[in-house]
Amino acid sequence: MPIEQRLERRIIDGEKKGLEADLDEAMAAGYKALAIINDFLLKGMQVVGELFGKGEMQLPFVLQSAEVMKTAVAHLEPHIEKTDDSGKGRILLATVRGDVHDIGKNLVDIILSNNGFETVNIGIKQPINEILRAAEEHDVDVIGMSGLLVKSTQIMRENLEEMNQRGVAERWPVILGGAALTRSFVEQDLAEMFNGEVRYAKDAFEGLKLMDALVK
Ligand code: B1M
């Protein structure tokens, strides 16, 4: 099997043995670390999501796929291109209350920190109290929330309502990301009720573009 398909297959099958050697082989063949993540590994994860959604894959196997994904990203991370910029600004990253999905958020973390931003990544299942406390403590410029469950889109709305109520909406622009969100939900529905600025990032690169625009 060609290396491209083998890597995609590894995610689908949750097969870790020999993973690093395959990743090294792909890099030696000229693929950049980020291209390996975006073009092969995430493609595999997409298939996992589809199989799981159709009831053709059980949760423990999804977990195994996620483990392979995380190990692969950790192996590739030192090879991801970095800019020489630093100190461009600081973002808080959290997966919202009730949601454990963190692969996407952690990719955003890598992309932003490799491109001159400081990240304060407080992890998964974070209630708004904790998000705001950490934002204050670390004096961040932007708050970034991630969530993949449909339920999380509602939690994000509640979080923005809470920011309105506490009078801190204008203090921190907010970037929202995650597969269950849509641009119109964030930039129309949520933007309408939020007293500050809220933007949608389809992927980590859009997150980076937004950070460049929001933190001047
Ligand atoms: Co779950 N899961 N999962 N899951 N899981 C989904 C999200 C689901 C769509 C699968 C499906 O049914 N097809 C479904 C949600 C359905 C819904 O809400 N309607 C689902 C479900 C149901 C669940 C459980 C409820 C299952 C159960 O227990 N019965 C449970 C939830 C537990 C909880 O959260 N309380 C659960 C658990 C899990 C695992 C633990 C097994 C594992 C997560 C492991 C981990 O993250 N550490 C898992 C996985 C792996 C998935 C799928 C298959 C893959 C997610 C992923 O990592 N994608 C997922 C299916 C799918 O999304 N298609 C699914 C790769 C990742 C790079 O993409 O996170 O979208 P993503 O991030 C992208 C962009 O969205 C964006 O940039 C990233 C990179 O480009 N982005 C941001 C994300 N955050 C951003 C933040 C930003 C900017 C951009 O700025 C702040």
Side-chain angles (χ1 to χ4, degrees), residues 37-38 41-42 45-54 57-67 69-70 91-108 111-112 124-125 143-152 156 174-181 199-208 210:
I37 295 176
N38 286 325
L41 304 178
L42 288 186
M45 200 48 114
Q46 188 69 32
V47 176
V48 170
E50 283 161 16
L51 291 173
F52 182 55
K54 285 191 283 185
M57 192 180 209
Q58 300 306 311
L59 199 61
F61 296 100
V62 181
L63 199 53
Q64 267 180 33
S65 299
E67 283 305 315
M69 183 75 198
K70 285 191 166 192
I91 182 170
L92 178 121
L93 289 172
T95 301
V96 298
R97 174 164 66 86
D99 196 324
V100 303
H101 297 89
D102 66 353
I103 295 174
K105 166 182 66 64
N106 294 342
L107 270 180
V108 172
I111 302 295
L112 292 181
I124 60 171
K125 297 206 271 187
I143 291 179
M145 298 184 218
S146 179
L148 264 68
L149 301 172
V150 170
K151 201 178 73 189
S152 300
M156 287 174 182
V174 176
I175 299 178
L176 300 179
L181 292 166
R199 304 295 300 273
Y200 169 68
K202 180 170 69 63
D203 55 29
F205 296 100
E206 212 175 306
L208 176 61
L210 282 174

Side-chain angles (χ1 to χ4, degrees), residues 3 6 18-26 75:
I3 187 65
R6 228 186 303 150
L19 171 70
E20 275 93 351
D22 275 0
L23 294 168
D24 291 342
E25 185 184 325
H75 186 74

